[in-house]
């Protein structure tokens, strides 16, 4: 994901991305590629390796125009000249709102965001960067931003959609862990209930669980890792995933 700079105007806030900006480093690209393949998502190398800011910008512009034409809630394109892309503001991201909410009030918003992603997928769409830092909520509707990940046509649509769900779920781990595995299962069930993608998601998770469970067991050999915040979050997610898969068995 690239950084953006706000450009205030007299009436509304806008955001501008420039082609001349730091791109993903080689080591970062390798890390993303390796993680995706570890979890069973065959992301093509050309999709994660960023070498041209103008190409990324052109791809995102193309996606925003196509999504807006399809009636999806995305930032409106205000200007694009090949080197700068200016879009309108679509509000505050879901993760920022979750940070401000009391712990006990977060789950309904997380489930609503999951259900909205399911409906987005049911319309034949995909995000590619479905972490909730890239989703906004204005009290009435969700909207999405940051579409520079070039995962299609190199990957099958259903694979990219499952990857979207995994990105969303892992981005919520910090909020889900204090609520327990039942909250993880509730978020996954919200996705299942709102669209037709539940069976594919269950099948993917069923094959993913043994890999992540091995990571958890190996990490337990280290006292430092075994008690780390990251591993506690992972174990909560794993237990919730297992409950979701078991419920559909």
């Amino acid at each position: 994901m690239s950084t953006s700079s706000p450009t205030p105007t007299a009436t509304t806030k806008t955001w501008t991305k420039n082609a001349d900006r730091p791109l993903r480093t080689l080591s970062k690209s390798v890390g993303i590629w390796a993680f995706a393949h570890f979890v069973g998502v065959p992301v093509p190398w050309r999709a994660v390796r960023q070498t041209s800011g103008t190409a990324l910008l052109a791809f995102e512009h193309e996606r925003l125009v196509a999504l807006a034409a399809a009636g999806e809630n995305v930032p409106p394109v205000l200007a694009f000249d090949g080197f700068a892309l200016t879009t309108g503001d679509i509000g505050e991201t879901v993760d920022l709102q979750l940070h401000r909410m009391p712990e006990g009030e977060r789950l309904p918003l997380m489930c609503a965001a999951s259900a909205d992603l399911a409906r987005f997928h049911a319309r034949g769409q995909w995000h590619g960067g479905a972490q909730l830092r890239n989703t906004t909520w204005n009290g009435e509707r969700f909207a999405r931003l940051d579409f520079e990940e070039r995962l299609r046509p190199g990957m099958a649509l259903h694979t990219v959609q499952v990857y979207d769900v995994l990105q969303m779920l892992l981005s919520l781990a910090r909020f889900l862990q204090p609520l327990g595995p039942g909250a993880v299962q509730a978020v996954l069930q919200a996705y299942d209930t709102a669209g037709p993608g539940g069976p594919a998601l269950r099948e993917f998770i069923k094959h993913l669980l043994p890999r992540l469970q091995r990571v958890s067991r190996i990490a337990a050999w280290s006292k430092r890792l075994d008690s780390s915040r990251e591993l506690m979050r992972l174990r909560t997610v794993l237990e919730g995933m297992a409950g979701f898969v078991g419920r559909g068995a």
Side-chain angles (χ1 to χ4, degrees), residues 136-157:
T136 67
W137 168 246
N138 67 0
E140 296 181 358
R141 68 179 190 177
F142 291 93
R144 292 173 174 80
L145 56 92
D146 201 341
F147 291 94
E148 62 182 33
E149 298 297 336
R150 297 175 291 180
L151 302 179
R152 293 272 291 155
M155 294 170 60
L157 177 61

Side-chain angles (χ1 to χ4, degrees), residues 29 35 44 80 84 100 111 142 159 165 171 196 209:
S29 297
F35 172 76
F80 175 65
R100 288 201 304 266
C111 288
F142 291 93
T159 304
V165 182
S171 75
L209 275 173

